[in-house]
Amino acid sequence: MSDRVWEKISFYFSVFAVSVLFGYALFVSGVEVRDLDLWLHLATGKYITQTGIIPQTDILSCSIAGKPWVNHEWLFQVILYNLYRMGGTQGLIIGQVILTTATLGMLLLIGYSRLGILWTGFLLTVVELVYQQRFTHRPDLFSLFFFAAYILILSRHLRRRWSLWAIIFLQIIWTNTHGFFFFGPLLLLLWFTAEFLRRRVKLPCEWNRSGALADAEYNRVGLMFLLSLGACLINPLFINGALYPVRVFFSLSGENRIFFTYIQELQKPIAAANWMDLTRYEYYKLMIVLSVVFFILNRRRWDLNVCFIWIVFFIFSLTALRNISFFAFAAYFAILTNSRTIPWRDIIPIEFRDKKFFYVIMIFLSLSLAAWILNYSQDVASRGYFDWDVFSRKSEYGGISKRTYPYGGARFLIQQRIKGNFFNDFNSGAYLLGTCYPDIKVYIDGRTEVYGGDFFRDYIRVWSDGNKKVFFDQVRRFHLTGAFLGSPRLLIPKSVLRMLYQSKDWKLVYFDADAVIFLRDIPQNQAVIKAHLVDLSRWKTNTEDLWRVGTNRVTATPYYHRAYMLDALGYSGAALTELKEALRIDPDYADADHLMGSIYAKRNEFFAAYVCFRNAVQFDPENQEAWRYMAQAAYDANKMEVAVSEYQDIYKKWPGPQPAFALAQSFVRLKKYDQGWNWLKTAHQLDPKAFVDILKIGDAVFADGQFALAKKIYRLGLETGKNNAVIAARLKKVQASLAGKK
């Protein structure tokens, strides 16, 4: 066959690999509906569609009712609601599939070339693996779509006259779809600034020529920038709407900084503790490495447009997890641009004399990429969980998630026609709005920038700390009539559970794995309280029919969640019954063994606790806490040799001050004082400020009559710099004992 035929075959195999990638993308973008804020958007979209009014003050919450609300996502909400109205859950999923596939299609066009399609396909695969983390029904997906569209227009179509009108149209839509719309003018400004510098400043190497624009293109970018700023004003709030994202951005350095601590998507993707961890955000890190390498290889021909975009969005990605997809897009663009101008022959002095051999290699690489994607797809396609409502396995793709939303609790509110102002957990707020509004007005939902950092701190004081003073102040201030504590995935903090359960004015009316509901004992709630008051002292565990469960791989999470709450409220016997049923259903459920062990330990049934923790570490060997509790159970049971052995294993796996102090204490209890002293010195070196453990071990040694050693230990305590008066009193007592001994 001729070289031309081989070239065509190679091209078709590359197209096949890219087609496999798009097939994979089509599948994973059909992920089940599980976004927490989705229901907030649906509720708002429904209101706007039915009334024709875009609310400019809050209408959803009981705590910020009437507060100014710049709803920069109103158009997204209208689109989302109408997709849901016409097609239900499937309509939402189809909309997401279309949007994400179109975005990937534009990225493909940015990097398309007949000879380089395989390289583009490989990079696009890595980008997809970063991008798919945002496959939730959120307005971010629209921003990523517009981001890709801007880069496509600026990099491939800037010379065309229609590009100006396309940018204006896209900017108007973007402005009313998501708060990241300011990226549009920012991209244009970076593009314009790069060309301005190329024309006005003498730059190193060939930077002045790389990516240079013609005069018409330069002028068009400047005009695009000015018109895009004007397009930002086309929103319901005009200047206030256009400036709102800027105000939010600057507010994040003040009181709103707290959101970065508690909200997962606002966590940093790279920190000192995980920057070398290749199991966390590995594809994002790969894009960082690849883009840096290609910048180095192409250092003589840097395109300033690309450099500026890469730098800005790299910094942006470091601030929060939700931003890493934007960097992946920018890095993809940077790698492709650099790879086109790298002098490969100078770097890799290899030339294929036989072109057929080159094309065979390309075919092999295409098949390898396709095979890897297909193999990865098999693993992804198999993901799922057991749906307790229908007793069958539920795929993570298609339909609505059965483990993200507190649907049982919401259904109870609807069926009992309960109305009022409800305190709720942050994650449940949007779902309550989507299912129970306007009958239920929530205390908090996902609109963090509207509630503000100070309000969120009050929420944390109640939710995490169970602060009675703050809670009852909020009850009076916002006329709260109910409390909805959701727990479909995250456990409810024990403090807030106990606070409400022990309050005479609040009655438990719903108790299940997905949520607990309390109603305030006031006239409007008394009928429901009378009919549905839950008496946990008479709690009965439901026994599952294992014939129905069959051979399905099941994690008995509902039983574990109920057991956790029962134990928190003082019903340890009922909690143990729930856990035993969980382990009957799922014998290797490590979390159930762990909780059961904790309950037995509190009951001073140390052997039973040890057995449970032993099971937990066998099924979950990396559970450091279970290992520590297992060793503590042996210690409390006075099985000191066993305790020493367990603590030594812990120290080998996780060296640190905690197991070292425990070993020192265990050896002292065994009367092996030299070994105890050596381990205590090791622990002190690992944590020079630890005072309580040293004092405890010193007291134990003193009680054993080892006064000289006790003196050494107390002096070691002085080195911590804490409670010197307490140590001085101990040393005085030791000195008196030594004198008496003489």
Side-chain angles (χ1 to χ4, degrees), residues 204-344:
C205 304
E206 300 176 35
W207 295 8
N208 287 91
R209 294 196 303 273
S210 296
L213 302 178
D215 289 344
E217 293 172 329
Y218 178 47
N219 293 332
R220 187 167 292 138
V221 171
L223 184 58
M224 282 178 173
F225 172 67
L226 294 175
L227 292 176
S228 71
L229 291 177
C232 291
L233 298 174
I234 303 176
N235 70 80
L237 291 173
F238 195 54
I239 292 176
N240 284 337
L243 293 179
Y244 188 68
V246 179
R247 293 181 184 137
V248 170
F249 176 78
F250 284 107
S251 75
L252 293 177
S253 60
E255 66 169 87
N256 292 347
R257 192 77 192 165
I258 188 174
F259 298 129
F260 287 89
T261 303
Y262 289 95
I263 299 176
Q264 184 178 3
E265 68 173 21
L266 298 180
Q267 304 296 304
K268 293 181 178 180
I270 295 179
N274 70 9
W275 72 277
M276 284 293 288
D277 185 353
L278 299 182
T279 63
R280 290 168 57 89
Y281 319 116
E282 60 271 29
Y283 299 108
Y284 163 65
K285 293 174 182 177
L286 177 60
M287 290 301 287
I288 295 173
V289 172
L290 283 175
S291 53
V292 168
V293 167
F294 275 78
F295 271 121
I296 293 171
L297 293 176
N298 195 43
R299 58 192 176 277
R300 296 189 61 82
R301 296 181 176 86
W302 279 6
D303 183 337
L304 289 188
N305 307 337
V306 176
C307 293
F308 289 167
I309 290 171
W310 187 91
I311 291 168
V312 167
F313 286 95
F314 174 61
I315 295 171
F316 180 64
S317 73
L318 293 175
T319 61
L321 277 172
R322 71 178 183 182
N323 303 332
I324 63 177
S325 294
F326 289 95
F327 171 74
F329 285 18
Y332 167 80
F333 177 51
I335 295 168
L336 286 171
T337 304
N338 281 319
S339 64
R340 289 175 186 142
T341 55
I342 289 174
W344 290 110

Side-chain angles (χ1 to χ4, degrees), residues 193-204:
T193 303
E195 183 61 24
F196 179 85
L197 291 175
R198 277 193 291 257
R199 290 170 178 246
R200 302 297 177 91
V201 179
K202 183 172 176 55
L203 301 170

Side-chain angles (χ1 to χ4, degrees), residues 60-73:
L60 305 172
S61 170
C62 63
S63 56
I64 56 169
K67 185 175 181 179
W69 174 23
V70 180
N71 185 11
H72 47 262
E73 298 165 351

Side-chain angles (χ1 to χ4, degrees), residues 561-724:
H561 279 212
R562 285 190 292 266
Y564 164 85
M565 292 187 288
L566 286 164
D567 177 53
L569 297 176
Y571 298 96
S572 59
L576 285 173
T577 305
E578 289 281 332
L579 292 169
K580 288 173 182 176
E581 181 63 15
L583 290 169
R584 188 177 76 91
I585 297 166
D586 182 11
D588 59 354
Y589 191 5
D591 288 345
D593 275 310
H594 190 158
L595 180 55
M596 186 179 286
S598 299
I599 294 171
Y600 280 130
K602 285 188 290 186
R603 290 180 160 199
N604 295 331
E605 297 178 38
F606 300 122
F607 177 69
Y610 178 82
V611 170
C612 291
F613 289 128
R614 178 178 175 275
N615 290 337
V617 300
Q618 288 190 352
F619 296 127
D620 185 7
E622 299 306 312
N623 188 334
Q624 187 176 351
E625 187 179 74
W627 276 91
R628 192 170 72 250
Y629 286 171
M630 177 176 66
Q632 184 65 43
Y635 180 91
D636 292 335
N638 205 28
K639 298 293 182 180
M640 301 314 302
E641 297 291 351
V642 176
V644 165
S645 175
E646 304 293 7
Y647 281 126
Q648 286 174 334
D649 286 342
I650 294 169
Y651 189 81
K652 287 176 186 175
K653 288 172 70 71
W654 301 286
Q658 230 176 17
F661 276 120
L663 280 164
Q665 194 169 5
S666 300
F667 277 118
V668 164
R669 195 160 173 181
L670 281 169
K671 314 300 182 188
K672 297 181 179 181
Y673 300 110
D674 290 342
Q675 289 167 280
W677 170 244
N678 289 334
W679 275 108
L680 184 60
K681 288 190 293 183
T682 299
H684 178 64
Q685 289 173 353
L686 293 169
D687 186 359
K689 297 297 182 182
F691 167 77
V692 174
D693 291 293
I694 291 176
L695 191 67
K696 188 186 298 183
I697 293 169
D699 290 347
V701 170
F702 179 82
D704 286 349
Q706 302 295 314
F707 304 128
L709 179 57
K711 185 177 181 181
K712 289 166 66 177
I713 293 173
Y714 290 139
R715 283 181 172 173
L716 191 67
L718 287 173
E719 295 179 15
T720 66
K722 296 180 179 179
N723 292 308
N724 287 344

